[in-house]
Amino acid sequence: LDTPDFIRVSPNGNYIITVYGKMIKTWTIQGKLLKTFWPHREKVCAISFLGNNTFQTASTSRHIFIWNIKGRFLKGVKLNPGKINKKFITKYFHMMKFSDSGKYLVVCDTSTDNYGKGIILFNARNGKLLDFHPHEKLIFSFDFSKNDRYYAAGDLDGMIQIFDRHTSKKKVFKAHSGWVMSMSFHPNEKQLASGGGRGDHSLKVFDLNGRTLFTRHINATIDAIHHSPDTKTIITGSRDHQIRLWKTDGTLVKIFGGVIDNILKIKSSASGKYIVMKVQQGPNIKGIRKIKIWNRNGYLMSSIPFRKKEFIKNFFINEKDKTVTVEAYRINIPRSNIPQYFYTYIYTLNG
């Protein structure tokens, strides 16, 4: 089996989809398995819900398929590369992502050949090529704006490109002197926050013309960045093991976190009351991995350790039910990176 790649929860919180390479499993939120199936000949690279009971998948087989929650096939769309050489979809894909609405699919190809290397946007409904932007450098971070008008990519040279679907214009600017490690659009679609690494350990916020609104240096790579859905807070997680809450004008509100944990991923609940992190202490295989749950005042509500050689892939916060759903896998064979067991855990916000 391949390493598990995604977990998605339906808008009403009733269903979960988990993806392991080519294999998909659908579940109820209570953990009942509904269906196991293999929708594509190639690895599933992107997935999104279209409603409470339907979802779509995309893979390097150049197809988008739509399914119901019980795994019944509803519709298929073939991606049409148009003016781009058909070799553009290859095993070298670095990133493939649906927009929040599911209407658009972006592909970032970092292959070593010269065919279609760049950032590619498709209409997910009919597979039509909408835009292609050649790009030579490795893309490290990517984000769609809330209403799908803008999308942005950041690379290892510190450059950010912001694309406007409505006008077909793009803005390219130097954002960091090092790598662009993380990005997040403000929900109002007027600002973009980015986190730097490799010599530029700063949080920066830009308007969509690339003008810097503020810069805050923290002396550590920012691996995770997130705007709270209530629009009031920017949350960063960095390699100095700290979480920082910022107002959208750059005012630092609070610093909290552990003294030894590396923060790998960070999310907030819909109201911004709760913050959940995936953290790791120690080296990759032998390290201890945890889910940590905080309130926005910096109070640690729960720290949930996972077993040795058990890895956390993704997590989702359900504020209504006050639960966190965690997707994990375990490696048992010595000197092997192949997952042997897969788990879905559901915890209360108090652990």
Side-chain angles (χ1 to χ4, degrees), residues 172-189:
V172 183
F173 57 95
K174 183 75 170 179
H176 296 270
S177 58
W179 301 351
V180 182
M181 299 297 294
S182 51
M183 288 194 301
S184 175
F185 275 102
H186 189 284
N188 68 9
E189 295 191 311

Side-chain angles (χ1 to χ4, degrees), residues 103-144:
K103 294 180 180 178
Y104 304 98
L105 175 72
V106 72
V107 171
C108 297
D109 183 8
T110 57
S111 59
T112 54
D113 57 32
N114 293 318
Y115 296 104
K117 188 174 178 181
I119 303 163
I120 310 152
L121 183 70
F122 291 97
N123 183 323
R125 296 291 184 265
N126 56 26
K128 181 180 178 181
L129 174 72
L130 297 178
D131 220 340
F132 170 60
H133 306 277
H135 194 77
E136 292 297 317
K137 299 298 182 179
L138 183 65
I139 301 295
F140 272 154
S141 56
F142 183 88
D143 197 30
F144 270 105

